Amino acid sequence: MTYIPNVDPVPTGMINQTEAEIRSGFKVIELVNFRGKEKCDIYIYQPSSEDNKKILHFQSRAYSKYMSDKGLMFRSQVMQNLEERGLWTKEHDKQIEEKREMISALTIEAQEIQSKPTIKPAGLARLKKIKEFWQNRYNELTTLTLERESYCSHTIESKTEGDSLTYKLSLCVKFADGTLVWPSVEDVDNPQESYYATLIANHAVSFWAGLSQEIISNLPAQLADALFGGEEKSEN
């Protein structure tokens, strides 16, 4: 998971909308040109207690299935194999941790400068330099994290999680009239609807995690503004 400094850069409106969605138990997204309709509302629901029982049972069966697949390994085995081959070592993990620490330190420094009633030209110059360093470290951290996760995309854990998500989508994604968008796992995996399935899945995963895809999509820009704005408090 990509490290995000502990700041609150998200617009209040987005937060309020997400809180309302969580309280209501569902999120609505609008699709364009889906199944012959110019516009179509899709409802993503929180799983019910009965749904969760079904999902856990499905997950257990998926895990057992992949456990018996001799071509798959556990995540820990993959990471050990990568280390033995020199493709991913403890040095890479150390780089990730160091970049997280640098991001955290830069964030704190920026917040300290921002906390002053007015910011002198030297402070603004430092903020500009911090922004440059911060963005570079953030991009490097994201690249490293994604690289590490890509190695584990075919592990027993990732396969189980992927199948469980597909099943969860088949239970919890509905049209406005309450009918299921995908009545079965096979329907979710329909290659002709892969674009829409990925789009809906991104929103669903974010919603089930208590966030929203809108917040995630806007986070980099909002985060930079929150950390490195401040010209309005500068001295002339």
Side-chain angles (χ1 to χ4, degrees):
M1 180 180 293
T2 301
Y3 174 81
I4 303 296
N6 185 25
V7 295
D8 183 15
V10 184
T12 302
M14 286 187 180
I15 296 176
N16 292 340
Q17 178 185 347
T18 302
E19 289 177 345
E21 291 169 348
I22 292 172
R23 286 195 300 271
S24 67
F26 66 88
K27 174 184 178 65
V28 184
I29 63 172
E30 183 181 81
L31 298 185
V32 178
N33 298 324
F34 182 61
R35 297 186 184 176
K37 296 182 179 180
E38 183 178 353
K39 292 184 179 181
C40 178
D41 284 342
I42 299 296
Y43 288 69
I44 301 169
Y45 287 88
Q46 292 285 1
S48 65
S49 57
E50 187 62 31
D51 288 334
N52 281 324
K53 291 179 183 178
K54 292 179 180 179
I55 293 166
L56 285 174
H57 181 66
F58 183 91
Q59 187 176 33
S60 177
R61 288 191 290 118
Y63 186 78
S64 297
K65 178 181 72 174
Y66 290 121
M67 277 278 289
S68 64
D69 188 333
K70 302 302 182 183
L72 293 176
M73 294 188 291
F74 288 105
R75 179 187 176 93
S76 59
Q77 293 174 312
V78 169
M79 297 309 297
Q80 182 178 347
N81 181 269
L82 291 171
E83 184 173 1
E84 291 172 354
R85 296 164 59 191
L87 296 176
W88 189 273
T89 65
K90 288 183 173 59
E91 181 60 31
H92 291 93
D93 288 326
K94 182 179 178 182
Q95 289 178 27
I96 286 180
E97 189 57 36
E98 287 176 345
K99 293 184 190 306
R100 286 176 173 172
E101 291 174 356
M102 282 189 281
I103 288 172
S104 180
L106 290 168
T107 301
I108 292 171
E109 183 180 357
Q111 290 174 330
E112 288 177 350
I113 296 174
Q114 290 281 64
S115 67
K116 298 177 181 178
T118 59
I119 304 176
K120 296 181 179 180
L124 287 176
R126 179 56 186 163
L127 274 178
K128 184 176 180 180
K129 182 61 72 172
I130 289 174
K131 179 178 182 179
E132 179 183 345
F133 288 151
W134 188 93
Q135 289 178 323
N136 287 338
R137 299 298 84 76
Y138 189 92
N139 290 336
E140 291 166 359
L141 175 60
T142 300
T143 299
L144 277 171
T145 303
L146 290 176
E147 180 184 354
R148 182 179 63 184
E149 294 308 309
S150 69
Y151 287 126
C152 299
S153 60
H154 295 287
T155 60
I156 292 172
E157 293 95 335
S158 65
K159 288 290 189 180
T160 300
E161 290 168 3
D163 283 8
S164 298
L165 172 60
T166 300
Y167 183 62
K168 192 172 181 178
L169 290 170
S170 74
L171 295 176
C172 301
V173 179
K174 301 180 181 182
F175 290 111
D177 63 3
T179 59
L180 293 169
V181 173
W182 299 296
S184 71
V185 170
E186 291 72 25
D187 293 324
V188 182
D189 287 332
N190 180 359
Q192 294 182 344
E193 293 186 354
S194 59
Y195 167 78
Y196 294 104
T198 300
L199 180 64
I200 292 172
N202 287 338
H203 281 280
V205 170
S206 303
F207 173 58
W208 292 328
L211 298 171
S212 77
Q213 191 61 26
E214 290 81 8
I215 286 178
I216 293 174
S217 298
N218 284 278
L219 188 55
Q222 297 295 339
L223 191 53
D225 287 345
L227 291 175
F228 313 113
E231 285 79 359
E232 70 278 359
K233 296 193 298 181
S234 64
E235 293 182 343
N236 296 322

